[in-house]
Amino acid sequence: MSASIEIPCDITPHPVTGMYNGKFGVWLFLASEVMLFGALFSSYILLRVGAPEAGPLAWPDYRTNHLNVPLATVNTMVLILSSVTVVFAWYYLQLHKFAAARACLLATIGLALVFMVIKYFEYSHKFHDGLYPSTHNFYAVYFTLTGLHGLHVLGGIIVFAYLVGPGAAMWKYNPAKFTNRIECAGLYWHFVDLVWIFLFPSIYLL
Amino acid sequence: MSLKAFHIVFVITAAVFGLGLGAWAVREYRADGSTASLIIAIGAFAGTAILIPYGVWFLRKLRHVSYV
């Protein structure tokens, strides 16, 4: 004899929130992420505004901070493209085109890996030049914000790898729930990309 | 908010960012005449020029999908 527990509103919208529970949970999580990145951005603004005008502690601008704007621009385009591929993975699942959705998810993983490889080269160049978080407040902010963002990208890669790999088995017995999982992962991924779109001009261009 | 709605917000933000990056790169190109700045400017404006019609096309393609 087998018993199964039915979880309410894991596919259908909850009458109070208007969305299924998983999506509501992801939005709550993203709200906490906004607070996390918001606190770090606030710290960046305060450190920058409080830095002296001249001397070794002066805040470097984009001409003197040793950051590679062309590489970061390529990374921005890579992340924007990955958002397009993930939203189409979700769209194809709604059309019951699993193979196309899987291809889109693999493309998303590939683009995320390209982002990480470029980030690796950026970091290697900084370390080679002797630039560490302890070098200056600017590099502390740079490594903290981009490092935390990179960890989020890594988290996204792990989630998408699971959904393309062992997690894809759910498509066979519960396609609606699997589609919702891709939507939740896609919401997270869009947030990560959106953070980068704010982070890039703040750190690299200003 | 569904992924569709969030994607629209994302595309609009990315388009605005592209315009800003393009303007920044044009200013840099005028200041120092570097080829990298010119390439970034062209790439940013081209990206924005692609994103706007893409957003309209996306809205039409997913018109049956909920915003919630």
Side-chain angles (χ1 to χ4, degrees):
Chain A
M1 182 180 160
S2 66
S4 63
I5 300 169
E6 194 167 315
I7 302 168
C9 302
D10 68 339
I11 295 172
T12 54
H14 191 281
V16 175
T17 62
M19 59 182 85
Y20 57 89
N21 286 341
K23 196 197 291 188
F24 186 64
V26 165
W27 277 113
L28 285 178
F29 169 65
L30 294 184
S32 74
E33 291 279 86
V34 168
M35 288 184 256
L36 173 64
F37 279 100
L40 289 171
F41 268 102
S42 303
S43 305
Y44 163 56
I45 292 166
L46 287 173
L47 284 169
R48 183 163 185 161
V49 170
E53 293 283 324
L57 294 177
W59 204 264
D61 69 0
Y62 61 91
R63 289 188 181 87
T64 55
N65 62 15
H66 296 94
L67 300 189
N68 194 325
V69 175
L71 266 186
T73 305
V74 171
N75 253 353
T76 307
M77 290 178 174
V78 165
L79 281 191
I80 290 172
L81 194 58
S82 74
S83 285
V84 173
T85 55
V86 78
V87 86
F88 272 90
W90 175 61
Y91 174 67
Y92 283 128
L93 285 177
Q94 291 186 332
L95 298 178
H96 295 277
K97 294 179 177 175
F98 180 74
R102 190 184 170 92
C104 285
L105 285 176
L106 287 170
T108 306
I109 293 170
L111 289 164
L113 288 172
V114 168
F115 178 90
M116 293 300 276
V117 168
I118 291 176
K119 193 51 70 187
Y120 165 77
F121 283 117
E122 267 197 80
Y123 273 26
S124 300
H125 188 248
K126 301 286 167 300
F127 296 145
H128 183 261
D129 288 350
L131 301 170
Y132 299 97
S134 58
T135 306
H136 189 281
N137 276 346
F138 171 76
Y139 295 106
V141 168
Y142 165 77
F143 281 111
T144 304
L145 274 170
T146 59
L148 185 66
H149 179 266
L151 283 176
H152 280 74
V153 172
L154 188 63
I157 291 171
I158 292 167
V159 168
F160 285 125
Y162 170 75
L163 289 171
V164 168
M170 180 182 270
W171 174 254
K172 289 174 186 164
Y173 62 86
N174 198 343
K177 192 171 179 178
F178 183 73
T179 305
N180 287 350
R181 283 189 169 183
I182 297 297
E183 184 181 20
C184 290
L187 287 170
Y188 167 78
W189 192 248
H190 272 64
F191 173 80
V192 171
D193 296 353
L194 209 53
V195 166
W196 179 259
I197 283 181
F198 284 102
L199 207 154
F200 172 52
S202 307
I203 303 277
Y204 286 78
L205 304 183
L206 294 178
Chain B
M1 187 191 282
S2 70
L3 184 57
K4 173 191 173 181
F6 201 20
H7 190 64
I8 292 298
V9 170
F10 178 79
V11 167
I12 292 168
T13 309
V16 171
F17 158 79
L19 287 177
L21 177 63
W24 177 88
V26 165
R27 194 190 69 176
E28 282 306 292
Y29 178 68
R30 283 184 173 169
D32 57 18
S34 74
T35 312
S37 300
L38 183 64
I39 292 169
I40 290 173
I42 293 168
F45 288 131
T48 304
I50 292 168
L51 276 172
I52 293 169
Y54 162 74
V56 175
W57 174 81
F58 176 79
L59 274 176
R60 284 182 185 158
K61 195 169 177 68
L62 274 75
R63 62 181 175 272
H64 66 281
V65 178
S66 167
Y67 285 96
V68 183

